Amino acid sequence: MRDVEPSTPEPRRRRANGDESRQKILAAATAIAGERGYDGTSIALVSERSGLPASSIYWHFKDKDALLAAVIDRSWVEWVAGMSTPVQIEEGASRLEIMRALMRRTGRALLESPDFLRLGLMLTLERRPDEPAARTAFLHTRGETFDQMVASYAEHFADLDEAGARELATFTMAMADGLFVAREIRGDDMDLVQHFETLAVAVLAVADDLAARTPSRTRV
Amino acid sequence: MRDVEPSTPEPRRRRANGDESRQKILAAATAIAGERGYDGTSIALVSERSGLPASSIYWHFKDKDALLAAVIDRSWVEWVAGMSTPVQIEEGASRLEIMRALMRRTGRALLESPDFLRLGLMLTLERRPDEPAARTAFLHTRGETFDQMVASYAEHFADLDEAGARELATFTMAMADGLFVAREIRGDDMDLVQHFETLAVAVLAVADDLAARTPSRTRV
Amino acid sequence: MRDVEPSTPEPRRRRANGDESRQKILAAATAIAGERGYDGTSIALVSERSGLPASSIYWHFKDKDALLAAVIDRSWVEWVAGMSTPVQIEEGASRLEIMRALMRRTGRALLESPDFLRLGLMLTLERRPDEPAARTAFLHTRGETFDQMVASYAEHFADLDEAGARELATFTMAMADGLFVAREIRGDDMDLVQHFETLAVAVLAVADDLAARTPSRTRV
Amino acid sequence: MRDVEPSTPEPRRRRANGDESRQKILAAATAIAGERGYDGTSIALVSERSGLPASSIYWHFKDKDALLAAVIDRSWVEWVAGMSTPVQIEEGASRLEIMRALMRRTGRALLESPDFLRLGLMLTLERRPDEPAARTAFLHTRGETFDQMVASYAEHFADLDEAGARELATFTMAMADGLFVAREIRGDDMDLVQHFETLAVAVLAVADDLAARTPSRTRV
DNA sequence: AATGAATGAGGATTCATTCAT
DNA sequence: AATGAATGAATCCTCATTCAT
């Protein structure tokens, strides 16, 4: 994947390039896990798709669980990158316009790197008794995203207290998850980004509802 | 394995025992599938938990796929029963109050029989290449629920056309799915019913937004 | 292995004969374990030698550990059978002659069915952290033999108390184990039975030594 | 891995570090082999316990077999050291007292460095088809000990011919092996040294028995 | 004097499924 | 209406060993 050196076309090489192999394995595993879930991601398949023998996979990752945890991490990094594009907000934009811009970005990021959420949701639902590291990794990173959202809400919605902000974040994530699932079912004929934009009004409505229930913080 | 008394043949029972076994298998499979998903539901586990040998499972069901499709059906019936409790709506209730009552019922039904949705979502996300009958069964029954919701929305929201009603149903289901997932993550310390009630304002907000975009149907 | 019925040369047969298969597996496993020890007894080897696929072995035995525990049991039964031949003791035989006859029988039994002790000693020495069931089975059955020997000594050696009898049994077993090991090293050119006979004088000498140390039980 | 200071080069050390690694590997391998036998001593485990990569083990030893042969050698050296403490024998000590002192020393040496015998016996019993070098090494060194014992017996027991001395040595080693095994089974609550002392009377009894059978060598 | 990376063979075990009874 | 027994393919993972650096 890394661009090959232009001159002297592979004279040596072939033995020992740790990081490259690791990346190949991760790439294969990410693709497969995104398609078939935890159980469906067999080491044999990853081996075949990455071109490395199964035993080499075990050199790079302790076991299947650790591999899938790394997959979660990797796809999370990708997704976070997508979420880092600055949001274009015009001077004097309304609350709704701001919200809409934010949701649009989320939808786009999800469209571009859906592996994180898809695999994560699968792991979340399949509550297998042994709590794989991969699941823990997902919940951890998801928790970070949640915290950021809470902080952002607490800052922008003056009439929400901490608990209210948390509630609003819960709803936002839930709605995002739900739309994502809907798109997984319906496939390409559903415009995910546009639906995310529509979600903005829903979030604001919930915010107002929560604020009305907040025991009048700064209200005199 | 059942002890067989030599004399005095039991008057009733003993016949139609086939169905009893079938139910035992289904019950075990439902529980396991709810916990561990499609792959995690091994025939050996179902056999162990139901107390019947694996070969008996194959007497009752063509294969694992058919068994899981039956599980989906069974859990759907359960869930539909929960959704059939009549909604108590007072005379002259507001749009919001009606919506809230409906959402409350949904939340409750999900709380009581979560297997259908949990297993269904898992099947949905695990897009295995062979499209198991179980997944199809889920999407089919889910589609029916969707159609009913569309019909209901088309009737109650005069300013929404057919397409609008479908959109609104899409959002409603998405939000429900999302909250359900959130509760799966958070566990018992999240009051699912109350969150579903709050969702009512979100749904109405989206309805209004969609109506505003509708090319003025019966508007005078 | 069981002699086949003389008439009607295998018309049906082939499917399902549980016990026969179990015996085939056990026989193969016993032979291999006797040759190569716990680790050396791979399921693949047992499968090959017994003619049944590996998965069938798992139908009959929970896992490798259970299989080897069964092997221990089986070889113990064999060995106990060898130890059950009545000892020919002439009227008015001396203590030494009696002891010699007993040791001779032990040597013979060990010569005919050495698997129990060989495998058992291997398991005993290899104190692997997980304490396999096979090891436990060996120690258990060995314990039974020990108890019988103690009872026998307590009865025949009037000047030994219970503790003394236990000590004597300990020495007897130790010497027997040791000679067995020696024969494993030296192979056929060592006459095990004759060596066991010689052991008789050693046992008696120890018995006397222990008795001398016993705090004069019935001694007036 | 060791931190390399940029300036002020350490005066001593740093060279001949190869031997240090070798010792680390040997120490780890000895410990593991004593616990788990030949098969149980995996290169990976030795690598982990010694802190050196597996490939380094292959730098120091040709293969696993050579490593375990070295382990045998090493533990033999240790054991021989224990056996070299001079035996304190008083002027005019009886045959029994001399024997007892010798056995006591043996018991002590075995208690302090049991690895040699434990591993050796395991290798002896596990008669794997390929006859590993480790097994050969054990039998060789054990043979040396045997020869010394024969020489000693031939010298001290005037009424035993060469064959008789060999027989007596065989019995002595067998009894020692047997007691050692007993102690492996019973653990710390068995006083190995005291049991070895008691063995003295058994050895002498056998010696007399053998002598009686010897065709009157120097007997006048 | 060492080691990171790789690798094929084989380890135990579970899988869904079948079939004779 | 059921089930004991069997089975081939697949599962994850560990093995001893090698080799380029």
Side-chain angles (χ1 to χ4, degrees):
Chain A
M1 239 103 226
R2 277 294 170 90
D3 39 357
V4 200
E5 47 279 57
S7 55
T8 52
E10 23 182 341
R12 56 230 141 99
R13 211 216 222 174
R14 184 77 299 187
R15 284 269 149 194
N17 188 339
D19 198 52
E20 193 186 334
S21 296
R22 207 189 130 95
Q23 294 311 320
K24 269 196 228 159
I25 293 167
L26 265 179
T30 305
I32 297 167
E35 281 167 27
R36 312 163 81 118
Y38 191 96
D39 284 297
T41 306
S42 78
I43 298 292
L45 240 179
V46 175
S47 158
E48 184 188 303
R49 219 110 120 190
S50 68
L52 280 95
S55 46
S56 290
I57 297 176
Y58 283 89
W59 201 94
H60 290 281
F61 302 92
K62 188 185 153 291
D63 55 18
K64 180 176 161 173
D65 205 20
L67 170 59
L68 276 145
V71 163
I72 288 278
D73 267 8
R74 181 191 148 106
S75 61
W76 180 66
V77 168
E78 233 180 74
W79 138 268
V80 161
M83 283 294 283
S84 301
T85 17
V87 190
Q88 215 64 19
I89 296 175
E90 303 193 9
E91 190 74 16
S94 71
R95 227 167 54 135
L96 179 59
E97 281 164 342
I98 296 177
M99 200 74 215
R100 201 163 266 167
L102 290 169
M103 295 309 284
R104 193 188 312 128
R105 185 182 60 179
T106 303
R108 273 207 193 113
L110 240 27
L111 212 52
E112 276 165 30
S113 38
D115 288 324
F116 172 64
L117 192 53
R118 188 187 313 123
L119 185 48
L121 289 180
M122 277 163 52
L123 287 171
T124 295
L125 294 168
E126 276 185 39
R127 339 165 284 174
R128 60 187 60 233
D130 42 339
E131 267 278 337
R135 188 183 201 257
T136 311
F138 171 69
L139 291 180
H140 176 73
T141 52
R142 183 185 171 98
E144 283 185 25
T145 306
F146 183 82
D147 290 341
Q148 281 166 23
M149 198 186 285
V150 169
S152 163
Y153 281 166
E155 188 188 334
H156 288 87
F157 292 86
D159 44 4
L160 279 182
D161 55 10
E162 164 85 18
R166 298 185 70 84
E167 278 295 281
L168 189 57
T170 298
F171 278 100
T172 313
M173 286 195 111
M175 291 171 179
D177 289 344
L179 272 189
F180 177 77
V181 167
R183 144 101 194 179
E184 289 290 309
I185 294 177
R186 298 256 261 272
D188 288 335
D189 62 322
M190 176 174 163
D191 185 337
L192 191 64
V193 177
Q194 193 194 304
H195 279 80
F196 262 85
E197 281 191 60
T198 302
L199 226 44
V201 305
V203 173
L204 291 183
V206 172
D208 289 342
D209 190 71
L210 291 171
R213 266 147 44 191
T214 300
S216 66
R217 211 164 36 142
T218 31
R219 210 96 59 80
V220 187
Chain B
M1 239 98 231
R2 280 291 170 91
D3 40 351
V4 189
E5 308 84 311
S7 53
T8 52
E10 305 181 39
R12 51 223 154 105
R13 227 220 212 159
R14 179 98 304 180
R15 248 335 62 177
N17 201 295
D19 196 56
E20 193 186 319
S21 294
R22 207 189 130 95
Q23 291 313 316
K24 270 196 224 157
I25 294 167
L26 268 177
T30 304
I32 297 167
E35 280 170 26
R36 312 163 82 119
Y38 191 95
D39 282 295
T41 305
S42 77
I43 299 292
L45 238 180
V46 174
S47 157
E48 184 189 305
R49 217 111 121 191
S50 68
L52 278 81
S55 44
S56 291
I57 298 175
Y58 280 86
W59 197 90
H60 288 284
F61 300 94
K62 186 183 155 289
D63 56 16
K64 178 176 164 173
D65 209 19
L67 169 61
L68 276 146
V71 163
I72 287 278
D73 266 9
R74 181 192 146 106
S75 60
W76 180 66
V77 168
E78 232 181 77
W79 141 265
V80 161
M83 282 296 282
S84 301
T85 19
V87 189
Q88 214 65 19
I89 295 176
E90 304 193 9
E91 191 74 16
S94 71
R95 227 169 53 137
L96 179 59
E97 283 163 342
I98 296 177
M99 201 72 216
R100 202 163 265 168
L102 290 169
M103 296 308 284
R104 194 187 311 127
R105 185 180 60 181
T106 305
R108 274 205 192 115
L110 239 26
L111 212 52
E112 277 164 30
S113 37
D115 288 325
F116 174 64
L117 190 53
R118 189 186 313 124
L119 182 49
L121 289 181
M122 275 160 57
L123 287 171
T124 296
L125 293 168
E126 275 182 37
R127 330 173 288 180
R128 58 189 55 239
D130 42 338
E131 268 280 334
R135 188 183 202 257
T136 313
F138 171 69
L139 293 180
H140 175 72
T141 53
R142 183 185 170 97
E144 283 183 25
T145 306
F146 183 81
D147 290 342
Q148 282 165 24
M149 199 187 284
V150 170
S152 163
Y153 280 166
E155 188 188 332
H156 288 88
F157 292 87
D159 45 2
L160 279 182
D161 56 9
E162 164 83 17
R166 299 185 69 82
E167 277 296 280
L168 189 57
T170 298
F171 276 100
T172 311
M173 287 195 110
M175 290 172 180
D177 289 345
L179 271 190
F180 177 76
V181 167
R183 145 101 193 178
E184 290 291 308
I185 294 178
R186 297 257 259 273
D188 287 335
D189 62 323
M190 175 175 164
D191 184 337
L192 192 62
V193 177
Q194 193 193 303
H195 279 80
F196 262 85
E197 281 192 58
T198 302
L199 227 44
V201 304
V203 173
L204 291 183
V206 172
D208 289 341
D209 189 72
L210 291 172
R213 263 142 51 189
T214 299
S216 64
R217 210 165 34 144
T218 31
R219 205 92 61 81
V220 189
Chain C
M1 238 100 230
R2 275 294 168 89
D3 40 356
V4 199
E5 49 279 62
S7 55
T8 52
E10 23 183 339
R12 56 233 141 94
R13 211 217 221 173
R14 183 77 300 186
R15 283 271 149 193
N17 187 339
D19 197 52
E20 193 186 333
S21 295
R22 208 189 128 94
Q23 293 312 320
K24 269 195 228 160
I25 294 167
L26 265 179
T30 304
I32 298 168
E35 281 168 27
R36 312 163 80 119
Y38 192 95
D39 284 296
T41 305
S42 78
I43 297 293
L45 240 179
V46 175
S47 157
E48 186 188 300
R49 219 111 120 190
S50 68
L52 281 94
S55 46
S56 290
I57 297 176
Y58 282 89
W59 202 92
H60 291 281
F61 301 92
K62 191 186 151 288
D63 55 17
K64 179 177 163 172
D65 205 20
L67 170 60
L68 276 145
V71 163
I72 288 277
D73 267 8
R74 182 192 148 107
S75 60
W76 181 67
V77 168
E78 234 180 74
W79 139 266
V80 161
M83 282 295 282
S84 300
T85 16
V87 190
Q88 214 66 18
I89 294 176
E90 304 192 10
E91 192 72 16
S94 71
R95 229 168 54 135
L96 179 59
E97 281 163 342
I98 297 176
M99 200 74 217
R100 201 164 267 167
L102 290 170
M103 295 309 286
R104 194 187 312 128
R105 185 179 61 181
T106 305
R108 274 206 193 114
L110 240 27
L111 211 53
E112 276 165 30
S113 36
D115 288 325
F116 173 62
L117 191 53
R118 188 184 313 122
L119 185 48
L121 289 180
M122 278 163 52
L123 287 171
T124 294
L125 293 168
E126 278 184 38
R127 332 166 292 174
R128 60 188 61 231
D130 41 341
E131 266 279 336
R135 188 183 201 259
T136 311
F138 171 69
L139 292 180
H140 176 73
T141 52
R142 183 185 172 96
E144 282 184 25
T145 305
F146 182 83
D147 290 342
Q148 282 166 22
M149 198 185 286
V150 170
S152 163
Y153 281 166
E155 188 188 332
H156 287 88
F157 292 86
D159 44 2
L160 280 181
D161 56 8
E162 163 85 19
R166 298 186 71 84
E167 277 296 281
L168 189 57
T170 299
F171 277 101
T172 311
M173 286 196 112
M175 290 172 180
D177 290 345
L179 272 189
F180 178 76
V181 167
R183 145 104 193 177
E184 289 291 308
I185 294 178
R186 297 256 261 272
D188 288 334
D189 62 321
M190 175 174 164
D191 185 337
L192 191 63
V193 177
Q194 194 195 305
H195 279 80
F196 263 85
E197 280 190 61
T198 302
L199 227 43
V201 305
V203 173
L204 292 183
V206 173
D208 289 341
D209 191 70
L210 291 172
R213 263 140 54 188
T214 301
S216 66
R217 213 165 35 141
T218 30
R219 211 94 61 80
V220 189
Chain D
M1 237 102 227
R2 279 290 171 90
D3 41 354
V4 189
E5 308 84 310
S7 53
T8 52
E10 305 181 38
R12 56 226 149 103
R13 224 215 215 166
R14 181 95 306 180
R15 249 335 60 178
N17 202 295
D19 195 56
E20 193 185 320
S21 295
R22 206 189 130 94
Q23 293 311 318
K24 269 196 226 158
I25 294 168
L26 267 178
T30 303
I32 297 167
E35 278 170 28
R36 312 163 81 120
Y38 191 95
D39 283 294
T41 305
S42 79
I43 298 293
L45 238 180
V46 174
S47 156
E48 184 189 302
R49 216 112 121 191
S50 67
L52 277 84
S55 44
S56 291
I57 297 175
Y58 280 87
W59 197 91
H60 288 283
F61 301 92
K62 185 184 156 289
D63 56 17
K64 179 176 164 173
D65 208 20
L67 169 60
L68 275 146
V71 164
I72 287 278
D73 267 8
R74 182 192 145 105
S75 59
W76 181 68
V77 167
E78 232 181 77
W79 142 265
V80 161
M83 282 296 280
S84 302
T85 16
V87 190
Q88 214 67 17
I89 296 176
E90 302 193 10
E91 192 72 17
S94 70
R95 228 168 53 135
L96 179 59
E97 282 165 342
I98 297 177
M99 200 74 216
R100 203 163 263 166
L102 290 170
M103 295 310 285
R104 193 187 312 127
R105 184 180 61 182
T106 306
R108 273 206 193 115
L110 239 27
L111 213 51
E112 276 164 32
S113 37
D115 287 325
F116 173 63
L117 190 52
R118 188 184 314 121
L119 183 49
L121 289 180
M122 276 160 58
L123 287 172
T124 295
L125 293 168
E126 276 182 36
R127 334 173 283 181
R128 57 188 56 243
D130 42 338
E131 268 278 337
R135 189 182 201 260
T136 312
F138 171 69
L139 292 180
H140 176 72
T141 52
R142 183 185 170 95
E144 282 184 24
T145 306
F146 184 81
D147 291 342
Q148 282 166 24
M149 198 186 286
V150 170
S152 164
Y153 280 167
E155 188 188 332
H156 289 85
F157 292 86
D159 44 4
L160 279 181
D161 56 8
E162 163 84 18
R166 297 186 71 83
E167 278 296 279
L168 188 57
T170 299
F171 276 100
T172 312
M173 287 195 110
M175 291 171 179
D177 290 345
L179 272 189
F180 178 76
V181 167
R183 144 101 193 179
E184 290 291 308
I185 293 178
R186 298 255 260 273
D188 286 334
D189 61 323
M190 175 173 164
D191 185 336
L192 191 62
V193 177
Q194 194 194 305
H195 279 80
F196 262 85
E197 280 191 59
T198 302
L199 227 45
V201 307
V203 173
L204 291 182
V206 172
D208 289 342
D209 190 71
L210 291 172
R213 265 147 46 193
T214 301
S216 67
R217 212 165 36 139
T218 31
R219 206 93 62 82
V220 188

